[in-house]
């Protein structure tokens, strides 16, 4: 079994700027875990799937996203979950929340995936640091990142399927939205 997840993976300037922030956190504090994947907004948390049936997975996910319209998304400033996660904030977007809710439900029925707590309590964000953060140094990280600026608008016109390859996440397929 191989691990997969589904996300919006911005390209171009947004990806470059988010990666630059991750690298700055790495250089300043040796926070490197978030560098194991491209910057993204998760729609379906990592799940296991038989890699031999990957084409079936792609086809099933394509069936869902074929009917979905492209939607606007705004990244604005930073946020945190407790004293463990720092992220670029995604401005609340009812269209994105509705798509994620419907996709989560679709994954449960069409792909036999468990609906996780994180699927039910969707809070869109683009992670910059997690897992290797130290609670006792969190204020240092937060002071550092909160001095920065991040404000971008984008049209989400494709969604990515990512696969874990040698402990890193790689985009293996894009699903184009209408």
């Amino acid at each position: 079994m191989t691990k997969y997840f589904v996300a919006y993976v911005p390209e171009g300037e947004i990806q470059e700027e988010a990666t630059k922030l991750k690298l700055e956190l790495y250089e300043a504090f040796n926070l490197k875990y978030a560098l194991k994947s491209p910057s993204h907004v998760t729609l379906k948390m990592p799940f296991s799937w038989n890699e031999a049936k990957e084409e079936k997975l792609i086809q099933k996910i394509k069936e869902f996203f074929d009917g979905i319209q492209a939607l606007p998304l705004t990244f604005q400033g930073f946020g945190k979950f407790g004293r463990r996660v720092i992220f670029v904030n995604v401005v609340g977007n009812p269209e994105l929340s509705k798509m994620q809710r419907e996709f989560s439900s679709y994954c449960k029925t069409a792909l036999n995936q468990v609906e996780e707590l994180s699927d039910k309590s969707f809070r869109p964000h683009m992670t910059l640091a997690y897992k290797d953060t130290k609670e006792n140094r969190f204020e240092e990280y937060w002071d550092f990142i909160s001095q920065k600026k991040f404000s971008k608008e984008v049209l989400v016109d494709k969604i990515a399927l990512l696969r874990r390859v040698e402990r890193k996440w790689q985009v293996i397929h894009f699903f184009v939205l209408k």
Side-chain angles (χ1 to χ4, degrees), residues 3-148:
K3 288 281 193 181
Y4 295 85
F5 79 96
V6 178
Y8 167 60
V9 178
E11 297 180 297
E13 190 178 339
I14 293 174
Q15 186 64 236
E16 290 166 16
E17 286 194 31
T19 300
K20 181 176 177 256
L21 290 171
K22 288 184 195 181
L23 288 168
E24 289 176 14
L25 285 163
Y26 170 67
E27 289 164 11
F29 304 106
N30 199 35
L31 298 175
K32 57 189 172 204
Y33 208 85
L35 288 165
K36 291 180 180 258
S37 65
S39 296
H40 63 276
V41 177
T42 303
L43 298 175
K44 176 66 181 151
M45 293 294 284
F47 59 93
S48 296
W49 189 267
N50 182 343
E51 193 173 347
K53 297 181 178 178
E54 187 174 278
E55 282 305 315
K56 179 183 178 190
L57 176 65
I58 290 169
Q59 186 56 42
K60 287 282 190 190
I61 295 172
K62 181 182 183 312
E63 287 171 15
F64 177 84
F65 285 111
D66 274 351
I68 302 296
Q69 293 282 341
L71 55 104
L73 199 60
T74 302
F75 294 95
Q76 185 69 52
F78 304 98
K80 55 188 171 179
F81 294 133
R83 297 173 61 80
R84 296 294 300 186
V85 179
I86 294 174
F87 56 85
V88 175
N89 192 42
V90 173
V91 175
N93 180 319
E95 293 173 73
L96 179 67
S97 295
K98 181 177 185 269
M99 177 179 69
Q100 185 276 338
R101 225 176 13 259
E102 290 173 355
F103 184 60
S104 177
S105 178
Y106 179 82
C107 288
K108 186 177 177 182
T109 56
L111 302 174
N112 296 317
Q113 292 299 312
V114 175
E115 202 167 14
E116 315 252 350
L117 180 61
S118 56
D119 294 327
K120 296 175 185 173
S121 59
F122 181 60
R123 175 147 179 224
H125 63 281
M126 192 162 56
T127 302
L128 298 174
Y130 74 114
K131 229 170 194 173
D132 56 354
T133 57
K134 307 279 185 277
E135 196 171 332
N136 64 341
R137 295 196 64 198
F138 195 83
E139 289 307 315
E140 287 178 70
Y141 314 146
W142 183 249
D143 289 344
F144 179 84
I145 208 70
S146 58
Q147 304 295 317
K148 312 286 182 183

